[in-house]
Amino acid sequence: MIDNYKHKGLRKKLAETVRQKGIKDEAILEAIAKIPRHFFMDSSFLEFAYQDKPFPIGSGQTISQPYTVAFQTELMEIKKGDKVLEVGTGSGYQACVLAELRAKVFSIERQKKLYQRTKEFLPKIGYRSIKVFYGDGYKGLPAYQPFDKIIITAGAPHVPEDLLKQLKIGGIMIIPEGKGGVQVMRKITKISETEIESENHGTFRFVPLLENKADD
Ligand code: SAH
C-alpha cells in the first residue's frame, strides 16, 4: 500500500472541503487530513478516495461520505478517553476518525466478511486499539457497556432500546433515524434512566440498519 505526497495533498484538500461545508472541530479536520482513505477502498477506485462522496466497499455496503463522518463525529463531542460504541463498522474509516480523537472505540458489524476484512486491516495500518466485533448492533455490546457515546452509521427505523440502555447517563447517541431512504440525524442525550433529550440535525441518506447478523 502506497501513501505518497500526492495522496497527502488530496487529503488536505478533502479536509478543506469538509471545513467549507461547516465542520469546525480542528481535531476532526486533522484526522481527515491524516487517515489514508484510499487504503479503505479497492485499488481500482483510488481516484475516488479523496472526493467528498460515499463509495461501495463490497457486500452491498458503503464507506460513508467524509462530510457525514465529520458531522456525526462533531455532534458526539468526543473527549479523550470516551468509551464509544459504533454500530456499523463497514470499512473502519469512521472508527479510525474516533481513534484519532483518542476515544476507546468498540465497533460492531453484522456482515461477517466485512467484519473479518476490517478486523485484519485496521491493525495493519496502525489502528491497534480499535476493537471490532461481529454481531447485531441492535443489541449493542452488553458485556462492554456502559458507553459515553454511541454512533449508528446506518439508517435506523427506530431507536434501539438496548442501545439506550447501554448509554451512560449524560451520554450522547447520534442516530440517523427514519424508515425508507431518508433519515433525520438525531442527537439524543440520556438525562436519566427514563428520560432523553433529542435534537434534529438535518436529513441524510444511509444504507439501512438491518436486524440480526449475516453469515456472508
Ligand atoms: N462506519 C462505516 C460506514 C458503514 S455503512 C464506515 O466508516 O465505513 C453501514 C454499515 O452498517 C454496513 O457495513 C452494514 O453492514 C452495517 N450494519 C447494518 N445493520 C447493522 C446491524 N444491525 N449491526 C451491525 N452493523 C450493521
Side-chain angles (χ1 to χ4, degrees):
M1 291 188 282
I2 297 164
D3 187 36
N4 60 27
Y5 71 94
K6 203 174 146 193
H7 298 116
K8 289 187 181 113
L10 289 169
R11 283 208 287 283
K12 275 205 172 140
K13 266 198 187 160
L14 175 62
E16 270 321 300
T17 303
V18 170
R19 184 200 299 279
Q20 275 159 23
K21 290 184 179 176
I23 302 300
K24 294 190 178 67
D25 187 322
E26 289 301 328
I28 297 173
L29 296 166
E30 272 172 35
I32 289 173
K34 180 174 172 191
I35 302 167
R37 192 170 185 255
H38 64 288
F39 286 177
F40 294 72
M41 294 181 174
D42 275 354
S43 56
S44 45
F45 298 126
L46 275 188
E47 64 206 88
F48 296 101
Y50 295 110
Q51 295 179 4
D52 187 27
K53 287 184 181 155
F55 212 76
I57 53 168
S59 309
Q61 299 306 327
T62 53
I63 178 170
S64 300
Q65 182 176 347
Y67 170 71
T68 305
V69 171
F71 190 83
Q72 284 192 285
T73 307
E74 196 164 62
L75 287 176
M76 279 199 284
E77 302 171 17
I78 295 291
K79 292 178 197 70
K80 189 179 168 210
D82 270 357
K83 209 168 128 189
V84 178
L85 173 64
E86 178 193 25
V87 174
T89 313
S91 69
Y93 182 79
Q94 169 77 67
C96 291
V97 171
L98 293 168
E100 285 293 340
L101 301 181
R102 302 286 173 264
K104 292 181 200 137
V105 186
F106 297 75
S107 186
I108 183 163
E109 171 58 53
R110 70 181 284 280
Q111 296 212 13
K112 202 168 194 176
K113 268 193 198 151
L114 257 182
Y115 153 77
Q116 278 165 342
R117 193 169 85 192
T118 302
K119 191 183 165 69
E120 281 167 30
F121 164 71
L122 292 178
K124 276 190 201 150
I125 60 162
Y127 293 95
R128 288 174 200 88
S129 67
I130 299 170
K131 295 188 174 60
V132 185
F133 300 82
Y134 169 53
D136 178 3
Y138 274 98
K139 302 192 178 79
L141 287 174
Y144 296 88
Q145 62 149 339
F147 297 97
D148 296 293
K149 313 279 159 73
I150 299 180
I151 173 174
I152 289 105
T153 70
H158 59 86
V159 178
E161 204 47 49
D162 285 340
L163 295 186
L164 266 186
K165 280 194 198 130
Q166 292 172 30
L167 189 62
K168 276 187 198 168
I169 290 175
I172 296 172
M173 180 191 295
I174 307 300
I175 178 165
E177 192 194 22
K179 298 189 178 79
V182 182
Q183 298 88 29
V184 173
M185 191 65 78
R186 286 182 71 189
K187 173 178 176 175
I188 293 174
T189 308
K190 185 164 167 179
I191 304 297
S192 72
E193 280 309 334
T194 53
E195 291 161 284
I196 59 166
E197 250 174 38
S198 175
E199 289 171 13
N200 289 349
H201 290 271
T203 54
F204 288 81
R205 284 176 181 277
F206 284 80
V207 295
L209 186 70
L210 300 171
E211 303 266 1
N212 303 318
K213 341 188 243 198
D215 294 330
D216 55 353

